Amino acid sequence: MAEERTGEAVGKPVSNERQTDLSKLRLLVALDALLRENSVSRAASSVGLQPSAMSRLLGQLREDYADPLFLRTGHGLRPTPLAESLRLRVRALAAETEALLDARSTASAPTATGHAGWGGQALTDAPPLAVRPSRLLEGEPAPEQFAAKLAEIGDDAAPERRLARCIATVGTGAGRSRPLSKEEAEDALAIILAGEADPVQIGALMTVLHYRGPTAVEVAGFVRAMRRHIGAIEPGSGIADLDWPCYLSPKLKTAPWFLHAARLVADAGHRVVLHGSYGEKGQERHKLEVAASTAGIPVCTSIAAAKAALGSAGIAYLPLSAFAPQVYRLLGLYRLMEMRMPLNAAIHLINPMGGRASLLGVANPSSRTLSRDIALLLETSELTILGNTRDHAEFTPYRQTPLFRLVGGEPSDLIIPAKIAPPAEARTGLSSREYWQAVWTGAARDQRAETTIVTTAAAALLSLRNHDDYEAACETARGLWNNRSRRMA
């Protein structure tokens, strides 16, 4: 009879509260799988679900956390900063759940001893590198064992050993790797910038991160390492108002109209800092230095010189090769690997003079959200990303332009409709540089170029919160253009 009653009890439905608890546990297991695999289909396969079921669980997670959690990129799903912040806690829970349900681990559980009773096994001895036991080969080390091995390389280990730990953490293959924390990424790049890394290690780390796709947390760590290396001024120090990165590809042959826009913003009383480069080699590698000097923008070779220029002229240009030569050399590895590295995203947010606002140009949709997530992790409160130019902020008024913004630390986006393009101006006998100068002085009239300059200046004024309305910012910028001093240096 007792057995019958027990059977009846087992057959009864559990309470709604218990069902809710089980559902939440199921969601956390699904989140762990998604963080491990960066793919809905692979995550579903790893836990024995159909992809459609995993998609539904992801939808529920997004609703519960009020966050997208994962963004689609060419490298699969990319976790948002919130998802990254949950990774180790969720993995620790999943690892302990697996251990409790694994008969082999139960047999080897620690037994009680005669001590005071405060000993025992920690929930997780080291950040686990995530793989389910069912995927392990016979005799293969468990992920917890692998993580413990890496944890033996302490923070006081030699630089090459610490960097090796970071490479192993991100590059040991599917199921074993995890992204670096902000502190780990900062330490890794600091070792490289200090010249303490083996060249093979540099290539290995950059290649693995590029192939997988860097996380916002990792790039934020790289930015912090760069800032520390160059002695950057703390944001909000009051020395600079607008940070304006301009890292142009040598394939870009158009004139730097954005420099004229930067002059207008400086003429309005805002202290503007431009920093960048124009490729690594070639006849025009000093194009930006030449253009800035021609326009009367002080070209500075150090943070101290830029600080002085902001005090006297209200605007400065810092060539990357001058104020951060080691970073410049790292970016120069492009020609050895023919691929953009995670450092390309980091350099745009280095903000060497501590400007309170930033103006960026990022064309790739997934990179825009990545850049904004990085900025949030760096506690940037005022940011505007022009969504149709790459590596420098210059408005393209004749194409629809998305503006990805941070206003007071909160995301705020705008879509600016395309303007009707006027007829192209007739060709002149002037060189590109001479024509660029002639538009500023008024010797040449070019409605397309003037509109590009004015709308770019308007985007900068928005980022500075000089205006909250785009059309009003355009009106102010147009007035600045009409009343400009037409002299070049």
Side-chain angles (χ1 to χ4, degrees):
M1 292 294 291
E3 291 179 357
E4 290 177 1
R5 284 194 297 272
T6 302
E8 289 173 4
V10 169
K12 289 181 180 180
V14 296
S15 68
N16 288 336
E17 182 181 355
R18 179 62 178 158
Q19 285 179 331
T20 301
D21 291 342
L22 290 173
S23 297
K24 288 180 179 178
L25 182 59
R26 190 176 188 225
L27 286 174
L28 292 176
V29 171
L31 178 57
D32 173 61
L34 289 163
L35 285 166
R36 285 187 287 107
E37 303 292 351
N38 290 332
S39 162
V40 169
S41 58
R42 291 199 302 270
S45 176
S46 73
V47 295
L49 292 176
Q50 293 296 321
S52 57
M54 183 59 71
S55 292
R56 286 195 294 273
L57 291 174
L58 176 55
Q60 173 93 40
L61 284 162
R62 284 169 165 163
E63 182 179 339
D64 288 351
Y65 282 104
D67 186 87
L69 295 178
F70 296 90
L71 303 172
R72 295 192 181 277
T73 73
H75 298 282
L77 297 178
R78 175 167 57 77
T80 64
L82 174 61
E84 283 295 349
S85 71
L86 300 172
R87 180 187 292 273
L88 295 183
R89 293 172 61 193
V90 171
R91 176 88 289 267
L93 174 65
E96 183 67 5
T97 301
E98 291 162 1
L100 288 171
L101 295 176
D102 189 347
R104 291 171 297 178
S105 65
T106 302
S108 59
T111 56
T113 63
H115 54 67
W118 293 107
Q121 186 175 9
L123 181 62
T124 172
D125 291 326
L129 299 189
V131 69
R132 305 193 79 81
S134 60
R135 295 180 58 184
L136 293 175
L137 299 175
E138 191 66 33
E140 184 179 0
E144 288 75 17
Q145 293 172 310
F146 185 73
K149 177 184 176 182
L150 293 185
E152 291 175 2
I153 305 174
D155 293 337
D156 58 349
E160 281 191 7
R161 290 283 288 154
R162 300 203 314 272
L163 188 53
R165 180 183 62 187
C166 291
I167 296 168
T169 297
V170 299
T172 51
R176 286 186 174 275
S177 62
R178 64 166 173 82
L180 298 174
S181 68
K182 192 188 300 183
E183 291 71 25
E184 289 170 330
E186 182 177 359
D187 186 47
L189 190 59
I191 291 169
I192 293 171
L193 293 175
E196 298 174 321
D198 187 283
V200 173
Q201 291 181 304
I202 299 173
L205 181 63
M206 293 302 144
T207 300
V208 168
L209 289 176
H210 173 77
Y211 182 76
R212 189 209 63 204
T215 66
V217 173
E218 289 168 332
V219 180
F222 289 161
V223 174
R224 284 171 43 170
M226 288 180 180
R227 287 181 176 176
R228 185 152 51 94
H229 177 75
I230 66 171
I233 294 171
E234 282 296 314
S237 61
I239 292 174
D241 295 317
L242 182 64
D243 181 68
W244 197 322
C246 42
Y247 293 85
L248 280 63
S249 166
K251 298 175 183 177
L252 185 70
K253 300 302 181 184
T254 58
W257 301 113
F258 66 91
L259 288 181
H260 290 336
R263 291 182 69 186
L264 295 182
V265 177
D267 288 344
H270 302 287
R271 291 158 298 178
V272 179
V273 177
L274 301 117
H275 55 95
S277 63
Y278 185 73
E280 188 200 23
K281 58 182 181 178
Q283 198 172 24
E284 295 187 344
R285 66 183 181 276
H286 301 301
K287 178 178 180 177
L288 285 179
E289 290 98 309
V290 171
S293 180
T294 302
I297 299 173
V299 178
C300 305
T301 58
S302 68
I303 301 289
K307 183 176 179 180
L310 288 177
S312 59
I315 189 169
Y317 171 66
L318 278 162
L320 181 67
S321 58
F323 81 94
Q326 191 77 326
V327 178
Y328 179 76
R329 295 185 191 101
L330 280 175
L331 293 179
L333 293 177
Y334 176 88
R335 62 186 178 83
L336 298 179
M337 297 187 282
E338 285 297 327
M339 68 179 191
R340 290 167 67 86
M341 293 178 291
L343 301 179
N344 289 91
I347 193 63
H348 289 80
L349 291 157
I350 192 171
N351 194 2
M353 302 302 296
R356 62 180 176 86
S358 295
L359 182 66
L360 280 64
V362 183
N364 185 281
S366 63
S367 297
R368 296 173 204 153
T369 53
L370 176 67
S371 295
R372 186 161 63 182
D373 288 344
I374 298 164
L376 282 169
L377 289 169
L378 295 169
E379 300 182 352
T380 301
S381 59
E382 307 297 333
L383 170 76
T384 298
I385 299 174
L386 303 186
N388 54 13
T389 54
R390 190 182 85 168
D391 300 334
H392 70 292
E394 183 175 281
F395 215 91
T396 51
Y398 306 113
R399 293 206 307 266
Q400 179 175 281
T401 303
L403 300 183
F404 289 74
R405 304 177 64 206
L406 288 175
V407 179
E410 296 294 329
S412 177
D413 299 340
L414 291 174
I415 300 293
I416 308 301
K419 295 181 179 293
I420 299 174
E425 295 295 326
R427 285 280 184 180
T428 68
L430 301 177
S431 68
S432 174
R433 176 182 170 184
E434 290 169 337
Y435 189 72
W436 174 78
Q437 293 176 256
V439 169
W440 177 268
T441 62
R445 294 300 306 273
D446 187 324
Q447 187 177 345
R448 287 176 177 243
E450 290 178 16
T451 304
T452 296
I453 296 165
V454 167
T455 52
T456 301
L461 294 173
L462 274 182
S463 191
L464 287 162
R465 298 187 72 175
N466 183 274
H467 286 285
D468 293 325
D469 177 73
Y470 171 74
E471 293 301 330
C474 282
E475 285 298 316
T476 298
R478 174 62 66 181
L480 292 169
W481 174 255
N482 291 336
N483 296 317
R484 71 191 183 282
S485 168
R486 303 191 178 213
R487 290 181 301 172
M488 299 294 279

